[in-house]
């Protein structure tokens, strides 16, 4: 067995990769990050579109592994804008002296496990190679951009920008006619900003989305001080919540209160703003009748904000609320009252093609100068499948997953020894506050590697049986609510030809944490070590 160059190869320098490198070094391991971008920050490095901000509150969307860091860092707004989160990632990289452990502009093309030396061999698009005993894919759940399969991109006279690949120098919309395709979280955040800058904005909507106001505001100094005085307590309480977010969760059913009380509760939470609106009652995502009451409330809100009734109708989503990821906005619905904004329904008549002057939809032509594509991601599996990952049998991960992914805890896969994924399919990940979730994965993975070293093991692999059991459980839990009744990226339904399988673990962060702890307590149950 020849020695690899590194103990651990890490793919990606987002929040997962940075913490992985820090923790590996703390544990005396020799680790290296390969990162496709030219800087750290992952999601927050790539998604620089106007209006990009986190829709989890700043005091919770932050690392907790270092108390001095969480005490010293000052967030300036209730919901942090992208530039501030990127500065935070850069600060972390500098504070913990991580930059010399990262190779930038090194996109991994292939990762191959070699059985004879029990190592991973990574090759970059640019040809460089690296070997490591363990490989950790810290590649993110929402990082492989999805381009709509439209004809004519090259024919267009202007520029086309994807929200997830935004140019660093920004885009000047002044005096321009702009098209935005897509009305998910990215579209809903950027549409109000572009509307203010452009001369004309046309929004092409396939499916309307539910959005709750952010009511963003400058950080309240008293609130920040109160959180910091009990940061540990708040983080612990958050871990007991299904989504890993501390807040007000109602344990009552929407059906056990009067219509007046229910409407008053929705109104109170609408005025507070934010994602916890969905927690107004405990059964919004399990009882269709309860869900209907919230749908009616939000439809009424949309109709009260949007002055043109036919536009308001188009903006009211027909599906259940919370089936797709909820959006949080600033002035989204009101933007459609502006004289320079129009909405085109492409559900009934899809976009035919992009042409020299703009977009062709049925018999209508829309002439524009700039096209913004806000069509999301090949979620959860896309970033992994875009790398040629080959395990001990030589079969690629993409082939293993052609009928849908399968993973043990979203952490490891059978046939891929010594490979770990951060927040992979089968973990709560995208249904939770990602920062605490990824910290838990990083700690689990690095503790596991330390265990292997201390026990003189070289190889660890998820057993097929444990993986199958966990995956069956993941699918069973997904059937319990009504979330999977809506076509969404959780199911892979946004990508043509992708197998429709509910990918994240819907059982909640506390149940998942307990399972991960049990696996360790039982000597890495479900894993085979050699
Ligand atoms: O992507 P999306 P996103 N032709 O997939 C439409 C996180 N996030 O980037 O619904 C025409 O949600 C598509 O229509 P449909 C968050 O978890 C967080 O906005 O498929 N339209 C939809 O309207 C979020 O959920 C933050 O019918 C097409 C839109 O494009 C996730 O990332 C900010 C199309 C895509 O919406 C993804 O959000 C941003 C086509 N061919 C993102 N293909 C915050 O923290 C797709 N669409 C705030």
């Amino acid at each position: 067995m020849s020695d690899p160059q590194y103990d651990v190869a890490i793919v990606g320098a987002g929040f997962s990769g940075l913490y992985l490198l820090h923790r590996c070094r703390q544990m005396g391991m020799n680790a290296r990050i390969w990162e496709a971008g030219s800087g750290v920050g992952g999601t927050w490095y790539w998604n620089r579109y106007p209006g990009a901000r986190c829709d989890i509150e700043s005091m919770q969307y932050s690392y907790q592994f270092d108390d001095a860091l969480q005490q010293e860092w000052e967030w300036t707004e209730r919901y942090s804008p992208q530039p501030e989160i990127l500065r935070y990632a850069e600060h972390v990289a500098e504070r913990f002296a991580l930059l010399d452990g990262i190779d930038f502009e090194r996109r991994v093309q292939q990762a191959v496990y070699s059985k004879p030396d029990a190592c991973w061999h990574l090759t970059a698009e640019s040809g460089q190679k690296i070997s490591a005993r363990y490989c950790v894919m810290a590649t993110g759940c929402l990082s492989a951009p999805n381009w709509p399969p439209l004809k004519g991109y090259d024919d267009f006279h202007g520029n086309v920008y994807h929200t997830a690949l935004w140019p660093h120098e920004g885009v000047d919309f002044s005096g321009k006619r702009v098209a935005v395709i897509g009305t998910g979280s990215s579209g809903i955040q950027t549409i109000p900003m572009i509307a203010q800058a452009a001369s004309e904005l046309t929004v092409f909507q396939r499916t309307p989305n539910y959005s709750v106001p952010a009511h963003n505001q400058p950080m309240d100094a008293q609130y920040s001080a109160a959180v910091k005085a009990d940061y540990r307590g708040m983080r612990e309480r958050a871990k007991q919540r299904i989504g890993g977010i501390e807040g007000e969760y109602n344990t009552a059913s929407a059906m056990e209160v009067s219509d007046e009380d229910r409407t008053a509760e929705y109104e109170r939470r609408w005025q507070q703003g934010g994602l916890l609106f969905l927690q107004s009652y405990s059964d919004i995502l399990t009882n269709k009748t309860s869900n209907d009451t919230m749908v009616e409330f939000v439809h009424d809100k949309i109709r009260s904000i949007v002055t043109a009734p036919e536009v308001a109708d188009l903006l009211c989503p027909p599906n259940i609320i919370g089936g797709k990821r909820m959006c949080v906005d600033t002035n989204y619905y009101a933007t459609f009252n502006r004289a320079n904004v129009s909405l085109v329904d492409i559900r009934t008549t899809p976009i035919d093609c992009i042409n020299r002057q703009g977009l062709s939809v049925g018999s209508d032509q829309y002439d524009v100068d700039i096209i913004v594509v806000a069509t999301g991601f090949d979620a959860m599996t896309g970033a992994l499948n875009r790398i040629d990952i080959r395990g001990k049998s030589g079969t690629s991960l993409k082939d293993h997953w052609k009928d849908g992914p399968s993973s043990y805890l979203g952490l490891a896969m059978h046939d891929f020894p010594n490979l770990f994924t951060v927040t992979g399919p089968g973990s709560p990940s995208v249904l939770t506050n990602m920062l605490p979730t990824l910290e838990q994965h990083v700690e689990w993975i690095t503790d596991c590697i330390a265990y292997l070293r201390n026990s003189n093991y070289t190889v660890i692999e998820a057993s097929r049986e444990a993986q199958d059991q966990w995956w069956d459980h993941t699918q069973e839990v997904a059937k319990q609510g009504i979330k999977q009744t809506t076509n969404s990226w959780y199911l892979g339904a946004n990508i043509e030809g992708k197998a429709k399988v509910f990918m994240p673990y819907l059982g909640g962060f506390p149940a998942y944490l307990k399972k991960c702890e049990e696996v360790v307590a039982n000597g890495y149950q479900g894993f085979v070590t050699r």
Side-chain angles (χ1 to χ4, degrees), residues 49 53 55 182-186 189 206-207 324-325 375-376 489:
Y49 58 84
R53 74 173 64 240
D55 59 14
T183 51
S185 296
S186 305
Q189 286 188 327
R206 193 163 68 179
T207 314
K324 290 186 182 219
R325 168 71 153 69
T375 46
W489 58 254

Side-chain angles (χ1 to χ4, degrees), residues 204-206 344-352 360-364 366:
F204 294 83
Q205 172 188 273
R206 193 163 68 179
V344 177
D345 172 24
I346 52 168
R347 163 70 59 198
T348 36
T349 314
I351 298 170
D352 293 321
S360 159
V361 180
S363 54
D364 296 322
Y366 296 89

Side-chain angles (χ1 to χ4, degrees), residues 202-222:
T202 310
V203 176
F204 294 83
Q205 172 188 273
R206 193 163 68 179
T207 314
N209 248 310
Y210 290 99
S211 189
V212 176
H215 299 308
N216 187 36
Q217 57 190 40
M219 181 58 71
D220 177 333
Q222 274 185 348

